[in-house]
Amino acid sequence: MAQVLEFKLPDLGEGLTEAEIVRWLVSVGDVVAIDQPVVEVETAKAMVEVPCLYGGVVTARFGEEGTELPVGAPLITVAVGAPETTGTAVPASGGGAKPAEPRASGGSAESSGNVLVGYGTGAPAARRRRIRPAAPAAPGAGEAGRRRPASAGSAAPAAPAPASHGTTAVAESGPVAVISPLVRKLAREHGVDLRSLTGSGPDGLILRADVERAVQRPEAPAAVAPAAPAVATVTAQAERVPLRGVRGAVADKLSRSRREIPDATCWVDADATELMAARAAMNAAGGPKISLLVLLARICTAALDRHPELNSTVDMEAREIVRLPGVNLGFAAQTDRGLVVPVVKDAHKRSAESLTAEFARLTEAARQGALTPADLTGGTFTLNNYGVFGVDGSTPIINHPEAAMLGVGRIVPKPWVHQGELAVRQVVQLSLTFDHRVCDGGTAGGFLRYVADCVEHPSVLLRTL
């Protein structure tokens, strides 16, 4: 005999608590195999295909595309076992039927041998019951059904009865529940439609105060109504955009950074003419093209080696500064889905060509919305090249829980004193925002000055390699 097992939205890792259904990959009645992806969801980090733990026939789906579900909410139910038994079980219980208790299945149920973050072959967590409010029935309908169970013909004489009172519209949907006949009379005297009111009493019961509020409500806007035409009212309505997905994650993270991190910013202008010339020489030698972002990333890793205080995080519970052993370099990337920060793991160990390849891979994945949670987490320092937007400077917000972020403005020709003479040089503004808990201004200034020296004289970097 088939068992109907409930497959819930798993914990996708990194503290994610919810996900939005982007696309269903299966329909009710489809046969799924163990570890077959059944739904594509978008988290605050990335878009992920979720594989099902069970093999069998899909008997129900929970949530339409665009619905946001919390971790642990049911996704689908799967009939595991004889398919012929499953076919008759679905209509009997309806789309929202409770499946067989998955706890009872334990190790006997057909399930995955693989483990995705947050779930796998272990016993499933205790089920949360889905509570659905019952559809309100017309008053008296249930009693009439119990009193006249005999035949359909017995219901015929009941039809003219409401018509004789002249309340056909009320009879179709039933009378509105009020606390007393006086309330109904008050509403009738003042022309208040009881069906337009939301009762404040138990179970939506309409009280005298509800009717009195409705009577008084039109008085306030009455004088204002003629002044504002209906069209103006429609156009003046504000648009409300839900903070969810990537936008919601950015809002949460930046707000937390502002609340918890006492940040400070210092900046400096640097002559990038020689760095641009060095890059042109590298690319003229053949091989993969080296981008300016890659050279800046290499400079950052060298600077962090000299100033490890900025490659750290703060553990306030233990009241400790945690200095991290390696550099996982994040870089801000603007996509159609919003701002994301892919992370280049072990950036301090990579050459310029290796950094180029990894930057290219992550940038392309960001454009396609295919970044995984692993690609977006674990950063220790962030490089933000906002010069691509045509701006010179900024005071970036630290990517919590990191301790610093380097911002790079556009490189533009400007008058600059070079070797004692005024010349037109390629100038860039660099800004460093840092957590003042991990270091003082001297350390931050030393880091930024070293970065500027490497930009102005790339040969400085060669001495530290």
Side-chain angles (χ1 to χ4, degrees), residues 376-421:
L376 292 164
T377 53
T380 64
F381 185 91
T382 297
L383 176 61
N384 186 1
N385 180 22
Y386 43 75
V388 296
F389 302 116
V391 297
D392 295 325
S394 174
T395 54
I397 300 176
I398 296 174
N399 189 21
H400 186 279
E402 297 171 12
M405 176 186 292
L406 179 70
V408 182
R410 60 177 180 163
I411 300 177
V412 291
K414 287 184 178 181
W416 190 267
V417 177
H418 177 65
Q419 296 180 351
E421 296 183 358

Side-chain angles (χ1 to χ4, degrees), residues 1-4 28-29 57-59 79-95 97-98:
M1 181 176 179
Q3 284 184 309
V4 180
V28 174
V57 179
V58 178
T59 59
V80 178
E84 59 272 13
T85 308
T86 306
T88 58
V90 175
S93 57
K98 291 182 181 178

Side-chain angles (χ1 to χ4, degrees), residues 94-110:
K98 291 182 181 178
E101 291 291 339
R103 282 179 236 162
S105 63
S108 62
E110 186 178 3

Side-chain angles (χ1 to χ4, degrees), residues 202-221:
D203 298 326
L205 188 67
I206 295 177
L207 309 179
R208 182 186 181 91
D210 299 326
V211 177
E212 289 175 345
R213 278 194 296 269
V215 171
Q216 297 171 2
R217 194 177 302 136
E219 294 178 4

Side-chain angles (χ1 to χ4, degrees), residues 27-98:
S27 302
V28 174
D30 287 356
V31 178
V32 296
I34 295 174
D35 290 335
Q36 175 181 334
V38 295
V39 66
E40 186 177 35
V41 299
E42 180 179 19
T43 70
K45 300 290 186 181
M47 294 180 66
V48 181
E49 289 186 350
V50 180
C52 182
L53 293 179
Y54 312 117
V57 179
V58 178
T59 59
R61 297 189 320 194
F62 299 96
E64 300 297 326
E65 293 178 357
T67 303
E68 197 167 68
L69 297 178
V71 169
L75 276 177
I76 62 173
T77 53
V78 180
V80 178
E84 59 272 13
T85 308
T86 306
T88 58
V90 175
S93 57
K98 291 182 181 178

